[in-house]
């Protein structure tokens, strides 16, 4: 909402682990956004795992934790034959899991968080999975 742009999330798959009154659900998704880059309308697509830890409290399910794991992203022209070329050095200072997203955020005046969980830092992914597994078994 802060960016003032439509950002649909396309869900590809879903896995849920249930243990009594606790559940962990992972949704495979692609987050899409259109942006003008150097006067060309481009499509930013970011592949992500959306993770929900939910708990049943007094008969009602609640989200008690939400995390995202960033996998990869792409920035391509929205019109197939558009003449679009982006100097790859503009992406070199960003994390590989979400470099294009970071570039677009900063291009439009935002600040990109370079500490998000991404597959380019497998130790943080493992730590998250371990925490969720422990929580689910409690």
């Amino acid at each position: 909402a802060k960016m003032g742009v439509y950002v649909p999330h396309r869900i590809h798959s879903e896995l849920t682990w249930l243990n009594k009154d606790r559940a962990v659900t992972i949704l495979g998704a692609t987050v899409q956004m259109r942006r003008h880059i150097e006067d060309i309308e481009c499509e930013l697509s970011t592949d992500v795992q959306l993770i929900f830890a939910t708990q049943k409290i007094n008969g009602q399910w609640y989200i008690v934790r939400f995390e995202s794991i960033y996998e990869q992203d792409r920035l391509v022209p929205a019109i197939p034959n558009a003449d679009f070329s982006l100097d790859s050095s503009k992406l070199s200072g960003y994390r590989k899991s979400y470099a294009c997203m970071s570039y677009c955020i900063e291009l439009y005046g935002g600040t990109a968080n370079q500490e998000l969980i991404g597959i380019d830092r497998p130790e943080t992914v493992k730590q998250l999975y371990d925490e969720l597994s422990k929580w689910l078994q409690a």
Side-chain angles (χ1 to χ4, degrees), residues 49-138:
Q49 293 178 31
L50 304 174
I51 302 173
F52 298 86
T54 56
Q55 188 168 5
K56 194 173 193 179
I57 302 168
N58 297 325
Q60 180 69 40
W61 285 96
Y62 293 92
I63 298 170
V64 296
R65 184 174 180 181
F66 172 76
E67 301 286 349
S68 299
I69 299 174
Y70 291 86
E71 297 176 335
Q72 64 180 354
D73 61 2
R74 19 213 180 276
L75 184 61
V76 298
I79 307 301
N81 293 330
D83 186 19
F84 175 71
S85 178
L86 182 67
D87 181 353
S88 62
S89 69
K90 292 182 178 183
L91 302 177
S92 66
Y94 299 116
R95 300 258 313 275
K96 291 193 182 295
S97 294
Y98 51 95
C100 296
M101 181 181 77
S102 296
Y103 172 75
C104 288
I105 288 170
E106 293 193 352
L107 182 67
Y108 278 82
T111 302
N113 180 350
Q114 294 301 298
E115 298 306 317
L116 301 174
I117 300 171
I119 63 169
D120 59 330
R121 292 186 181 164
E123 67 282 357
T124 62
V125 174
K126 182 183 181 320
Q127 179 182 346
L128 174 60
Y129 285 155
D130 289 349
E131 288 172 10
L132 291 168
S133 180
K134 185 176 179 180
W135 175 82
L136 186 61
Q137 298 307 317

Side-chain angles (χ1 to χ4, degrees), residues 6-32:
Y6 177 61
V7 184
H9 291 50
R10 308 242 185 252
I11 305 302
H12 305 292
S13 59
E14 175 265 332
L15 291 170
T16 298
W17 293 267
L18 178 65
N19 186 21
K20 299 175 189 155
D21 63 346
R22 294 180 180 208
V24 173
T25 297
I26 299 177
L27 301 175
T30 300
V31 180
Q32 297 173 299

Side-chain angles (χ1 to χ4, degrees), residues 21-55:
D21 63 346
R22 294 180 180 208
V24 173
T25 297
I26 299 177
L27 301 175
T30 300
V31 180
Q32 297 173 299
M33 180 187 318
R34 293 254 172 132
R35 285 296 201 186
H36 279 85
I37 311 291
E38 300 177 7
D39 296 323
I40 302 292
E41 186 175 23
C42 292
E43 176 85 23
L44 170 65
S45 298
T46 304
D47 293 334
V48 63
Q49 293 178 31
L50 304 174
I51 302 173
F52 298 86
T54 56
Q55 188 168 5

